[in-house]
Amino acid sequence: MASQIISFRLNGEVLEIAVSPSEMLLDVLREKMHLTGTKRGCGKGECGACTIIFNGKAMNACLIPAMRAQGADIQTIEGVAGPDALHPLQQSFIDKGAVQCGFCTPGMIMSAKALLDKNKSPSKEEIREAVGGNICRCTGYIKIEEAVEDAAQALRANAVQGGDL
Amino acid sequence: MVQNYVFPASVSEAVTVLSTNRGKARIIAGGTDLLLELQDGKHTCDVLVDLTQIAELKNITEDNGFIRIGASVTHAQAAKSELILQHAPALAQACRKVGSLQIRNMGTIIGNIVTGNPAADAAVALSCLNTIAEVTTQEGMQTMPLEDMYAGVCLSCIDSCCQVVTHVKFPVKQPGQGSAYLRMEQRKALALPMLAVSAMVSVQKDSFEWARVLIAPVGAGPQHAVDAEEFLKGAPVTPETIAKAGQLACNQAKFRSSAIRGSKEYRLGVLPVFVERVLEAAVANARQA
């Protein structure tokens, strides 16, 4: 089976990598690029642990053929923090106790980030819709909702101050 | 095992690739079901023919009295589309129920039909809208009513190794018409429907001119509740007729007890209530317009 070289933007940097036609993007990220923050859970699009932001939208990396990444703009959990500080979502997850075992957390943060990138004043309903595809069996979601609301508030405050996140 | 993955630039290029590979190439759009079925060995193919780069398949348009949806339109795209919200609220409501937001960002409306699942949300809604599919092969384009696309439970008449469903279309909504979709589920995300119902009605002077009521999963694809539809023709729009239609819907509801979807008895018990609610919502939509 012939590998092909594809090119895409990953966490802001354009790169090239050889992928096979039957490979999934999740395997490329984890096994070839060693970006293991994106978790493999069910492998069937049912748990959300592998959520990444693909061309601005939250998607399950386990269901994206690697070939489809050609020309795409992809963000993973490794690209979320700034050079000097955590992203407000990451900080809020810590501050609000929204992390327990932590396995779902990268996917949860990517789903929440895809929402907050477009909407910095989401309703509770919108937050629930955004993280509804991410299964957490520790926290019961209340702390996660609070963390996303808290991060949204921080992002709004930062926007008022003219900050650059 | 997939040996090659191609992105045709046009529908004609896609059918040419299918034709030259003689049954060993298969169409992929969202891929949320197909990729799992390939992993499970339910399908085998050497070449995947990805439709997502074909410009003409990416949009929802109003065209000659029809709303037309391209093969790579996702559930998330349809759920927010002004055209869908205006002309087919049943479809917008159904699209919001599929899987999770991640799945809705990938999975396509037409894929929801072609997988052949008997209670696929979008397909149940599209059935009440009188949807027609445009199917292209090397020989040309044919149209096919949505209800003729099911060969059995989880079996489609479409052979994705030689046919491409490029679009589905349904008539634009007329004054006095309305639609709605409703499903029962165990939880609010990532849950299969235990029961799905859709309805489209035409209300003239406080009477049903006609009504289409679809229920699933009770057979191969969404099924018309024909007794309820017949009863509603010309009936006054009253709580009593709507309740009677709910009861009559049970005549076509051949549920099977299922560990995933619930028992036959339970679902038969709730069906009349769901049919009532979906008819009330469709009538409310018709009166809004």
Side-chain angles (χ1 to χ4, degrees):
Chain A
M1 179 187 332
S3 285
Q4 293 186 38
I5 306 283
I6 61 165
S7 165
F8 56 93
R9 185 182 295 271
L10 179 64
N11 297 327
E13 281 182 38
V14 176
L15 53 85
E16 287 188 339
I17 190 162
V19 302
S20 88
S22 62
E23 218 165 6
M24 292 296 130
L25 184 56
L26 175 63
D27 299 312
V28 173
L29 293 172
R30 288 181 57 83
E31 310 302 333
K32 289 190 171 160
M33 313 197 68
H34 307 296
L35 295 174
T36 53
T38 304
K39 302 301 177 199
R40 169 181 287 281
C42 66
K44 294 181 173 181
E46 290 179 5
C47 75
C50 66
T51 303
I52 58 168
I53 301 180
F54 189 95
N55 291 335
K57 292 174 181 159
M59 293 190 192
N60 302 121
C62 71
L63 291 179
I64 302 174
M67 294 289 289
R68 206 174 264 177
Q70 168 62 37
D73 183 7
I74 296 169
Q75 292 176 57
T76 66
I77 189 68
E78 288 86 354
V80 170
D84 304 316
L86 293 176
H87 185 279
L89 264 168
Q90 294 171 305
Q91 193 59 52
S92 296
F93 267 60
I94 297 168
D95 295 345
K96 295 287 175 185
V99 180
Q100 285 190 28
C101 87
F103 190 83
C104 75
T105 308
M108 201 66 86
I109 286 181
M110 297 317 286
S111 285
K113 184 170 186 295
L115 170 69
L116 297 187
D117 283 350
K118 292 192 175 131
N119 176 5
K120 290 187 175 41
S121 303
S123 64
K124 256 198 189 335
E125 238 356 88
E126 287 168 326
I127 295 172
R128 286 176 185 177
E129 186 188 13
V131 301
N134 295 77
I135 304 265
C136 171
R137 284 297 169 263
C138 307
T139 69
Y141 289 88
I142 301 290
K143 303 274 184 202
I144 292 168
E145 270 180 45
E146 287 172 7
V148 178
E149 283 177 330
D150 189 62
Q153 198 174 19
L155 285 164
R156 288 197 300 272
N158 206 290
V160 170
Q161 288 162 19
D164 183 19
L165 281 167
Chain B
M1 182 70 107
V2 179
Q3 309 283 336
N4 200 4
Y5 196 108
V6 296
F7 292 93
S10 66
V11 173
S12 64
E13 194 184 325
V15 290
T16 302
V17 175
L18 293 180
S19 168
T20 50
N21 281 279
R22 295 166 180 270
K24 299 210 163 156
R26 179 174 278 276
I27 293 294
I28 180 170
T32 51
D33 283 316
L34 176 62
L35 292 164
L36 298 175
E37 289 168 3
L38 286 169
Q39 281 169 22
D40 292 345
K42 283 188 196 161
H43 302 293
T44 51
C45 71
D46 293 347
V47 184
L48 282 176
V49 184
D50 191 312
L51 299 181
T52 56
Q53 302 294 318
I54 301 176
E56 63 172 302
L57 303 185
K58 292 183 181 185
N59 300 317
I60 302 170
T61 53
E62 186 174 345
D63 184 11
N64 240 343
F66 285 89
I67 304 298
R68 200 158 168 257
I69 301 173
S72 57
V73 170
T74 64
H75 294 97
Q77 194 182 340
K80 287 192 172 170
S81 153
E82 283 300 326
L83 278 176
I84 301 296
L85 287 164
Q86 184 193 338
H87 290 282
L91 182 58
Q93 289 154 14
C95 286
R96 292 195 60 192
K97 291 290 183 180
V98 173
S100 62
L101 187 57
Q102 291 96 316
I103 297 290
R104 296 195 285 277
N105 281 334
M106 292 189 273
T108 63
I109 305 273
I110 290 180
N112 203 245
I113 302 166
V114 175
T115 54
N117 190 300
D121 296 279
V124 177
L126 284 165
S127 298
C128 80
L129 300 167
N130 246 9
T131 297
I132 299 165
E134 296 176 4
V135 185
T136 298
T137 63
Q138 190 76 340
E139 282 73 46
M141 195 275 278
Q142 283 185 315
T143 57
M144 187 187 276
L146 189 148
E147 48 206 63
D148 291 351
M149 293 174 79
Y150 293 88
V153 175
C154 292
L155 265 185
S156 175
C157 291
I158 299 298
D159 180 355
S160 294
C161 294
C162 62
Q163 295 173 298
V164 186
V165 183
T166 60
H167 297 86
V168 288
K169 62 179 186 180
F170 51 82
V172 297
K173 198 172 88 158
Q174 302 299 325
Q177 295 180 351
S179 70
Y181 174 80
L182 204 58
R183 56 125 87 174
M184 180 169 66
E185 64 234 325
Q186 284 189 310
R187 54 179 197 266
K188 288 181 184 166
L190 292 163
L192 280 176
M194 298 164 72
L195 169 66
V197 291
S198 69
M200 181 158 184
V201 298
S202 176
V203 175
Q204 306 292 346
K205 295 181 187 163
D206 290 328
S207 288
F208 288 103
E209 187 188 14
W210 49 260
R212 288 193 289 267
V213 181
L214 276 295
I215 47 182
V218 291
Q223 301 291 310
H224 282 272
V226 288
D227 290 356
E229 291 178 345
E230 194 55 40
F231 168 74
L232 287 173
K233 221 176 272 175
V237 180
T238 62
E240 292 72 27
T241 54
I242 289 175
K244 172 86 173 158
Q247 291 297 335
L248 288 170
C250 294
N251 295 354
Q252 276 75 44
K254 294 184 176 58
F255 292 115
R256 289 188 298 184
S257 287
S258 147
I260 304 168
R261 299 195 195 265
S263 73
K264 172 185 168 179
E265 292 77 11
Y266 177 59
R267 291 187 288 165
L268 258 182
V270 292
L271 178 68
V273 180
F274 271 67
V275 170
E276 276 179 52
R277 286 180 188 169
V278 85
L279 280 168
E280 283 164 5
V283 167
N285 178 240
R287 285 179 167 159
Q288 233 173 42

